[in-house]
């Protein structure tokens, strides 16, 4: 059986990429043991690759009022609503690892309202979903609700930016036909072999 294509668009060979992009892909491969298909797919357009991952890293890798696991919760919930298989699978794996919980990603992807999360996290996801699906209805009441759960303006900006950024990512993944790497499916589900 042949492996399905990872994208509807041409995927460049790693050794043909600009040095900075090749270096990033090889670093990811060394850390995780494989190159996630999002890197290969988006490398089709190097300038857009750089912009995409610069914004991704600014949102997802920083410290702040949201934990890295909570940031991934936003990605999984909104990506599920946007029916993005790639992002649900890939970021579900990252969420399982960051939350140290093999169940959480599946719970959030199916119905975050019934997931084993805190009321604060549920409020965060309620707002993220509103941003993802009906941002035009966001109003002062939403900000008051988030403040009641301890979220400040910087946190609200982060929730909004993550939901909005991944709306772009979800649409690109869906249109390109981006295929999740098989490796993602088991990550964070079982203890690592020693």
């Amino acid at each position: 059986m042949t492996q399905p294509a990872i994208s509807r668009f041409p995927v460049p060979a790693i050794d043909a990429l600009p040095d900075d992009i090749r270096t990033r892909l090889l670093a990811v491969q060394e850390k995780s043991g494989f190159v996630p298909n999002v890197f290969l797919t988006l490398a089709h357009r190097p300038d857009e690759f750089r912009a995409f991952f610069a914004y991704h890293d600014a949102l997802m890798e920083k410290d702040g009022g949201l934990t890295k696991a909570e940031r991934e919760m936003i990605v999984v919930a909104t990506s599920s609503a946007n029916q993005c298989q790639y992002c649900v699978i890939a970021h579900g794996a990252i969420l399982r690892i960051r939350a140290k919980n093999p169940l959480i990603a599946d719970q959030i992807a199916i119905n975050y309202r019934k997931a084993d999360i805190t009321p604060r996290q549920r409020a965060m996801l309620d707002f993220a979903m509103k941003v993802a699906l009906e941002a035009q209805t966001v109003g002062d009441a939403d900000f008051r609700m988030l403040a009641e759960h301890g979220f400040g303006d910087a946190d609200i900006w982060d929730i909004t930016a993550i939901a909005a950024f991944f709306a772009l990512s979800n649409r690109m993944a869906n249109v390109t036909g981006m295929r999740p790497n098989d490796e993602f499916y088991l990550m964070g589900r079982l203890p690592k072999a020693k």
Side-chain angles (χ1 to χ4, degrees):
M1 183 171 110
T2 60
Q3 185 76 357
I6 65 168
S7 174
R8 288 187 173 99
F9 292 85
V11 175
I14 292 176
D15 59 359
L17 291 170
D19 289 343
D20 61 319
I21 295 175
R22 182 176 55 253
T23 298
R24 177 154 187 169
L25 268 61
L26 294 174
V28 168
Q29 183 177 35
E30 184 174 325
K31 182 178 179 180
S32 64
F34 66 100
V35 178
N37 290 339
V38 65
F39 288 93
L40 297 169
T41 299
L42 296 181
H44 173 68
R45 296 249 178 126
D47 289 340
E48 293 170 36
F49 175 101
R50 291 179 187 102
F52 180 93
F53 283 106
Y55 197 30
H56 171 277
D57 295 350
L59 293 172
M60 301 303 288
E61 299 301 327
K62 70 180 181 178
D63 293 323
L66 305 179
T67 67
K68 289 183 180 177
E70 287 171 336
R71 293 169 192 275
E72 295 297 339
M73 287 178 188
I74 295 167
V75 178
V76 172
T78 60
S79 296
S80 177
N82 290 323
Q83 299 184 41
C84 181
Q85 182 187 46
Y86 185 91
C87 292
V88 169
I89 304 281
H91 288 273
I94 298 167
L95 173 55
R96 288 190 298 273
I97 291 165
R98 291 200 165 157
K100 296 176 178 51
N101 181 336
L103 308 178
I104 194 69
D106 294 334
Q107 291 176 351
I108 288 176
I110 299 301
N111 184 350
Y112 73 90
R113 290 175 192 90
K114 294 183 179 184
D116 296 329
I117 58 177
T118 67
R120 179 181 184 273
Q121 291 166 336
R122 191 166 291 108
M124 173 189 75
L125 294 179
D126 284 341
F127 182 71
M129 294 294 278
K130 192 168 191 178
V131 170
L133 301 174
E134 50 183 340
Q136 72 280 6
T137 68
V138 170
D140 291 342
D142 297 299
F143 280 73
R144 285 191 297 274
M145 179 271 301
L146 288 169
E148 289 170 10
H149 286 278
F151 293 103
D153 286 347
D155 303 323
I156 296 169
W157 182 283
D158 287 343
I159 296 165
T160 302
I162 293 165
F165 175 79
F166 279 92
L168 162 73
S169 182
N170 297 159
R171 284 152 180 79
M172 290 301 295
N174 278 328
V175 172
T176 62
M178 198 182 302
R179 179 179 171 78
N181 301 68
D182 292 346
E183 291 89 344
F184 284 127
Y185 289 92
L186 294 180
M187 289 172 60
R189 293 191 189 277
L190 302 170
K192 280 189 172 183
K194 294 182 181 179

